[in-house]
Amino acid sequence: MGVMPADETRLGAVLRAWRERLGPAAVGLPVGGARRAVGLRREELSGLAGISVDYLVRLEQGRAESPSPQVVAALARALRLTNTERDHLYRLARLVPPIDGEISDHIPPGVRRVLSRLGDTAVAVFAADWQLIWWNRGWAALLGDPSSTPPALRNFARDNFSVNGDGPRLAQWPVTSSISHETIEAAIVSDLRRATGRFPNNSRLTDLIHVLTAGNQRFAELWAAGAVGAHREAKKTIEHPGVGPIMVDCDVMTDGDAELKIVILTAAPGTEDETKLRRASCPESPIPLLAEVSDSAVAPDLEAELPEPASASAVRNASRNAP
């Protein structure tokens, strides 16, 4: 395998590659006439970014390698970079990437399309602070409908660390985990600390940390330890009142830029747990245990099932110790 030349990974080469991949139509410029340039011309990019053509030439040729933060921000906007690409551009310029201050509850269209194709698979989406912001009917059928819990309390961390004697609110029946409750608590706290590094000025996250630190001694102790990490997956057993205990895998996937956490509960194929899970998700269609079951579940209507921003509490209850 060949080694990529160092020049191809430097600031100038990366800027040129990003300029050449962006067509004029993508930035609202006319596309008429013959064009020898691939992508945007230098004068077009310089005009969009508000810098001189000469300075852009020097940047691309490596004769200028230390642009100011203002220039880098302008280039990132003009080149329509993603947050990850923007951060890479800052690092190539030997600058510290900006820190986005707000946690987003927005679910991107692409993620929504993926969710809509999961049918009745139990799925919920949490924001970076473990606030439950969306769930489908499969989730509600398996764990109980979170809409009965006030939006402010739909938070996975709050569900694991009680304040003022409040217990779990989102799972309407018992849920146990394959890992210890202490391990789950430590993972949640370390994940929240990681979130404070990514969103240090977010008021909702700051308020959550304050409430839990002041109101729960266990949380305060773990927070003082300073561990940083991520909460990912485990096996859960849900004591469903309609079909009995169901063992599920709880997997957590993350949407990079916004730090959304997509929590999916599934059972091993061909097992009695899978059949119970199907029965719990479709109670109106009785399915015999261990019977062959059709996979023709209809995908839920995302817009219809997107209640007011929920919280991360559902998961926690959904796993008494969440994802």
Side-chain angles (χ1 to χ4, degrees):
M1 179 182 293
V3 177
M4 182 179 292
D7 286 348
E8 293 185 16
T9 63
R10 300 186 68 169
L11 175 64
V14 173
L15 274 177
R16 179 169 182 170
W18 282 338
R19 174 173 62 81
E20 292 181 345
R21 78 178 183 183
L22 192 63
V27 295
L29 295 175
V31 189
R35 296 177 62 93
R36 289 187 302 170
V38 177
L40 291 180
R41 299 185 178 103
R42 286 195 179 99
E43 58 267 26
E44 291 171 335
L45 176 57
S46 66
L48 290 169
I51 63 176
S52 70
V53 177
D54 177 67
Y55 187 52
L56 179 59
V57 170
R58 288 191 286 126
L59 284 172
E60 289 193 356
Q61 292 179 347
R63 293 185 288 120
E65 294 189 321
S66 300
S68 69
Q70 292 79 10
V71 168
V72 173
L75 285 168
R77 286 193 298 270
L79 289 165
R80 306 298 195 265
L81 302 185
T82 66
N83 286 353
T84 300
E85 291 170 336
R86 176 204 65 187
D87 291 352
H88 183 59
L89 181 61
Y90 270 81
R91 294 187 182 99
L92 289 176
R94 302 183 182 89
L95 297 170
V96 177
I99 296 176
D100 297 323
E102 292 305 315
I103 290 175
S104 176
D105 289 345
H106 171 67
I107 301 176
V111 175
R112 285 180 173 272
R113 286 192 291 272
V114 171
L115 293 172
S116 72
R117 285 161 174 75
L118 292 178
D120 285 321
T121 299
V123 185
V125 181
F126 295 81
D129 58 352
W130 283 108
Q131 186 76 11
L132 179 61
I133 57 176
W134 180 90
W135 62 88
N136 67 359
R137 61 180 171 228
W139 183 277
L142 184 61
L143 298 164
D145 189 351
S147 62
S148 60
T149 296
L153 299 180
R154 296 175 195 158
N155 185 281
F156 179 54
R158 288 201 63 150
D159 235 36
N160 277 270
F161 296 96
S162 65
V163 175
N164 298 325
D166 290 341
R169 289 172 171 265
L170 296 179
Q172 296 182 8
W173 23 90
V175 180
T176 55
S177 177
S178 61
I179 57 179
S180 70
H181 187 57
E182 290 73 18
T183 300
I184 292 172
E185 288 177 332
I188 295 169
V189 175
S190 65
D191 190 76
L192 285 176
R193 183 171 286 282
R194 187 175 65 88
T196 61
R198 177 75 172 80
F199 305 99
N201 302 315
N202 181 260
S203 59
R204 191 173 76 187
L205 177 59
T206 301
D207 290 345
L208 175 66
I209 301 302
H210 175 74
V211 167
L212 294 179
T213 302
N216 187 286
Q217 183 177 355
R218 171 65 174 162
F219 183 92
E221 292 170 353
L222 291 170
W223 186 258
V228 178
H231 190 33
R232 284 297 173 256
E233 68 279 320
K235 286 187 178 294
K236 310 291 181 183
T237 299
I238 301 166
E239 299 292 338
H240 195 280
V243 300
I246 311 172
M247 181 179 290
V248 297
D249 291 315
C250 178
D251 294 290
V252 183
M253 295 181 288
T254 302
D255 169 60
D257 288 343
E259 297 274 347
L260 293 178
K261 306 170 198 299
I262 303 168
V263 180
I264 305 176
L265 303 178
T266 59
T271 64
E272 184 171 308
D273 290 307
E274 183 187 39
T275 304
K276 287 181 177 180
L277 185 56
R278 290 180 184 277
R279 293 177 65 199
S281 298
C282 304
E284 69 284 357
S285 303
I287 301 171
L289 290 180
L290 299 179
E292 284 296 322
V293 181
S294 168
D295 239 333
S296 58
V298 178
D301 181 345
L302 281 185
E303 293 301 331
E305 296 201 21
L306 183 62
E308 62 233 72
S311 97
S313 274
V315 151
R316 170 322 186 207
N317 241 348
S319 81
R320 164 110 194 171
N321 311 326

